Amino acid sequence: MGTGATRVKHKGKRRGPNPRLRMTIIAVFSVVVMLITSARLISIQGMDSMQLAEKALSNRLVTRTLPASRGQILASDGTVLADSVSRYQLVVDQQNVAKWTVDGKLLGAWGAAEALAGPLHTDPGLIYPELVGDKRWNPIAKGLTSETWAAVKKLNILGVSSEEYAVRSYPAGAVAGNIVGFLSSDGQAQAGLELAYDDVLRGRDGKQQYERGARGEIIPLGDNNIQNAVDGKSVQTTIDTDLQYYAQQAIEEQRKKHKAESASIVIKNVKTGEILTAADAPSVDPNAPGKTEGGQRGSRIFTDVFEPGSTAKMVTAAALLDQGLVTPEQEFTVPYKWKAPNDEEFKDSHEHPDQKLTFAGIMAESSNTGTILAGNKLSEEQRYQYLRRFGFGSKSSIGFPAETGGILHPYQDWDGRTKYTVMFGQGIAANALQTTDVIATIANGGVHVPSTLVSGEITPSGRTIPNPGGAPKRVISEKAAKQTTSILEGVVAEGTGKSASVSGYRVAGKTGTSQAPAAEGGGYDGYTASFVGVIPAEDPQLAISVTLQRPRKGYYGGTAAAPVFSDVAGYAMRHLRIPPSTTEPQLPAREWK
């Protein structure tokens, strides 16, 4: 039989999924899920809670400014001219006011209105609308005194607090008001020493950051950081308040009498340079500056310029004597009119025949033509340099706001007329302080002592920092200064300045009358009347200038300004207890034959 083998294929047996692998995957997945969940829980319970805590803290933290106390402005004797007083602004949290209870009884906004009406001197119905609402900060009253705030605080009304701020006060009112200056309603310095010394006076504000409770109170153990304020220094001026007051009254009376647009008096200590008085008329009360026109709120002593007129003849006289080009009794024949080689013509204020005057007589008569005849001995450069040395064209070292240096053009720019007119005070311009400085320098033996208005600063601890002042500078020789002073004494004793005499005292000075420049359109409008003098002439202590701008009723310096000098200088001598003169003057001859 045939033998054949039959091949049969055997299929293998298929296996199912590995149970162990499945368990491992499930376990790993579960662990991952648990880790993610745990991380999220940690985030919620840890990190997010920290952020929430920080946010809650920031809602409780309050930062407030700790205002620095502004320094005082004081007179020379310590009299307060400017001070800061505390005032309070009443602020309410309307949401807390609504919850105000007393002994378990809810009083709310109406109860608060009734309670506040008493100390605030108002009607509950008027204040109630300001207490109702959801504002967390709402100012309801300003300008409260410390006594009023103390009365409100005693009420212990939930949600009622205060903010302290300072208000500037000027106890002396208008006395030296134009010098002191004032602040705006928001506390910004606007004028005078308030502006000039703002950096010194204002100090540096501090700040406090504290954690506040639900009632607005400071949490004692909470975050509380303080950066203390640095109070400002005080400024002590050289102003004598009694003398300032007297001068202000006198110059205002004279301004009204002569119907002048404005007027001023400056009193300077010849030897120290201290400004004892700087009186403007009209004056400003810094407590209510809005009642005074804008142009009258500063000090015109520093800001207004005018042609000095014949008072500038002092410079010509001093220059000629310093150069040795004339002597006090040198003889001149002085005409009413004089024509220059370039055909420019000049004349005196009053018509007269030719006069036989000495140089001293030229000054006593305040002759323009005589001044030119003598002054022609000076070169144009010398005329310019002496004007410059006496301070024309330069600001003082005081640094008063908007102070002017006046007008003095280089001599190379002078035209054919100006080179003559500068010798008798035309073609140049100065302020009242500069004209005062001229005679103060002459009276001080020819040495200029820079003017000072502030004697020093006083720290909050009471330490005084003196103002070093400027260095004295010789302008003319001592001999020339004495000769010029003697000539100027003759102006008062025998010349145009007789009305400036003071009983019992020797006086030296010079009158001035010049045209006033028009405010608009060029040209001139009215006159400037002035007198500058020193007293006592034998040992000068005070230099005093009196200036009236655009007087409409009598405009000569000898009649409008000199009498005020006499009045104020006499008072100053009594006030400062300066003894009367005991010697007679030896005056140079005025005329020759």
Side-chain angles (χ1 to χ4, degrees):
M1 117 179 177
T3 59
T6 304
R7 296 180 179 177
V8 178
K9 292 183 179 179
H10 297 278
K11 295 182 179 179
K13 194 173 184 180
R14 184 175 295 177
R15 298 178 180 178
N18 192 328
R20 290 184 178 179
L21 178 60
R22 182 187 303 173
M23 292 295 293
T24 300
I25 292 171
I26 292 173
V28 170
F29 179 76
S30 299
V31 169
V32 170
V33 172
M34 291 178 63
L35 289 173
I36 293 173
T37 304
S38 299
R40 181 58 183 160
L41 288 172
I42 292 172
S43 173
I44 293 173
Q45 296 177 359
M47 296 176 64
D48 285 0
S49 63
M50 289 176 62
Q51 292 177 356
L52 291 171
E54 289 176 0
K55 185 176 181 180
L57 178 60
S58 67
N59 289 334
R60 295 196 303 272
L61 282 178
V62 175
T63 300
R64 65 167 179 159
T65 299
L66 301 176
S69 178
R70 191 173 179 86
Q72 297 175 318
I73 298 177
L74 308 170
S76 60
D77 64 354
T79 298
V80 177
L81 301 176
D83 200 2
S84 294
V85 294
S86 291
R87 290 292 182 266
Y88 296 85
Q89 176 174 252
L90 203 61
V91 178
V92 298
D93 179 333
Q94 294 175 339
Q95 294 183 27
N96 276 335
V97 169
K99 303 173 186 176
W100 183 44
T101 61
V102 175
D103 297 331
K105 181 181 179 181
L106 179 64
L107 299 181
W110 179 251
E114 289 183 314
L116 290 170
L120 296 183
H121 303 290
T122 187
D123 185 90
L126 296 177
I127 196 172
Y128 175 72
E130 299 297 328
L131 304 178
V132 179
D134 58 2
K135 294 180 181 178
R136 303 310 302 261
W137 185 88
N138 186 43
I140 64 171
K142 194 173 183 180
L144 276 62
T145 64
S146 56
E147 292 80 10
T148 301
W149 164 237
V152 171
K153 191 176 181 181
K154 280 184 179 179
L155 299 173
N156 199 27
I157 301 173
L158 180 65
V160 174
S161 60
S162 71
E163 294 178 350
E164 184 178 0
Y165 64 98
V167 173
R168 205 62 166 163
S169 171
Y170 301 91
V175 177
N178 300 72
I179 295 298
V180 172
F182 56 92
L183 305 183
S184 63
S185 58
D186 61 353
Q188 299 301 308
Q190 298 295 303
L193 294 177
E194 290 277 31
L195 179 58
Y197 283 81
D198 188 44
D199 289 345
V200 174
L201 292 163
R202 71 177 176 220
R204 186 174 71 249
D205 290 344
K207 64 179 180 180
Q208 179 185 21
Q209 188 179 60
Y210 63 91
E211 198 171 343
R212 178 180 60 183
R215 294 169 60 92
E217 77 281 4
I218 296 176
I219 298 176
L221 298 180
D223 284 356
N224 192 353
N225 299 310
I226 296 179
Q227 180 181 330
N228 292 321
V230 178
D231 291 339
K233 299 185 187 76
S234 293
V235 170
Q236 185 155 35
T237 72
T238 57
I239 295 296
D240 182 314
T241 50
D242 290 337
L243 194 50
Q244 176 78 26
Y245 176 79
Y246 189 92
Q248 280 188 212
Q249 299 302 308
I251 196 60
E252 174 62 17
E253 182 179 336
Q254 193 75 343
R255 183 187 74 85
K256 291 179 178 178
K257 178 180 178 181
H258 288 268
K259 298 182 179 179
E261 186 177 281
S262 62
S264 69
I265 295 179
V266 179
I267 303 179
K268 176 177 177 176
N269 185 309
V270 168
K271 302 183 187 302
T272 67
E274 294 174 328
I275 303 298
L276 305 183
T277 294
D280 285 282
S283 59
V284 60
D285 184 348
N287 292 301
K291 294 182 178 180
T292 303
E293 292 182 12
Q296 309 283 6
R297 295 174 193 168
S299 176
R300 292 169 295 280
I301 289 167
F302 294 92
T303 61
D304 284 7
V305 296
F306 54 90
E307 289 189 345
S310 294
T311 58
K313 291 172 183 173
M314 297 184 295
V315 176
T316 303
L320 287 165
L321 292 165
D322 190 51
Q323 289 292 321
L325 297 174
V326 300
T327 63
E329 295 187 342
Q330 187 164 330
E331 299 169 353
F332 293 85
T333 299
V334 180
Y336 165 59
K337 290 182 180 180
W338 181 83
K339 181 177 285 189
N342 62 3
D343 289 334
E344 291 287 349
E345 189 173 76
F346 303 91
K347 60 183 180 180
D348 282 338
S349 59
H350 298 87
E351 189 170 352
H352 61 78
D354 287 357
Q355 295 175 303
K356 292 183 177 181
L357 299 176
T358 64
F359 182 63
I362 289 172
M363 290 295 116
E365 294 295 324
S366 196
S367 169
N368 293 338
T369 57
T371 301
I372 292 175
L373 290 175
N376 277 337
K377 298 176 184 295
L378 294 166
S379 70
E380 291 178 37
E381 183 177 1
Q382 286 175 320
R383 298 169 202 179
Y384 172 82
Q385 290 297 339
Y386 274 97
L387 287 166
R388 195 75 172 170
R389 287 162 66 175
F390 271 102
F392 288 94
S394 302
K395 295 180 183 180
S396 75
S397 57
I398 290 176
F400 199 84
E403 180 179 354
T404 177
I407 301 171
L408 176 61
H409 298 298
Y411 69 93
Q412 296 92 336
D413 296 339
W414 291 347
D415 60 25
R417 188 169 185 82
T418 302
K419 66 181 181 180
Y420 295 106
T421 61
V422 294
M423 293 189 286
F424 54 85
Q426 294 180 14
I428 58 176
N431 61 31
L433 179 62
Q434 289 171 316
T435 60
T436 311
D437 271 354
V438 171
I439 200 164
T441 298
I442 293 170
N444 194 41
V447 176
H448 173 252
V449 179
S451 299
T452 56
L453 188 55
V454 170
S455 60
E457 300 168 7
I458 304 173
T459 67
S461 64
R463 182 171 64 91
T464 299
I465 305 171
N467 178 3
K473 180 183 68 175
R474 179 161 292 283
V475 176
I476 57 174
S477 69
E478 185 175 1
K479 178 183 177 181
K482 288 182 177 179
Q483 289 176 324
T484 307
T485 301
S486 179
I487 289 173
L488 295 176
E489 191 171 0
V491 172
V492 177
E494 304 171 339
T496 58
K498 290 179 181 178
S499 296
S501 61
V502 178
S503 179
Y505 294 87
R506 291 167 54 183
V507 176
K510 187 71 188 74
T511 56
T513 305
S514 62
Q515 290 180 295
E520 297 179 1
Y524 293 92
D525 174 25
Y527 294 85
T528 298
S530 61
F531 181 87
V532 293
V534 292
I535 186 173
E538 73 278 12
D539 181 22
Q541 301 295 313
L542 301 180
I544 304 175
S545 73
V546 179
T547 309
L548 284 82
Q549 291 290 359
R550 298 182 179 85
R552 302 296 181 185
K553 188 177 180 181
Y555 57 82
Y556 286 107
T559 55
V564 186
F565 174 95
S566 175
D567 178 18
V568 173
Y571 174 83
M573 294 296 99
R574 298 188 298 272
H575 172 64
L576 299 174
R577 299 181 180 179
I578 296 174
S581 300
T582 57
T583 59
E584 293 296 324
Q586 300 297 315
L587 302 178
R590 295 177 52 209
E591 300 176 340
W592 60 277
K593 294 183 180 180

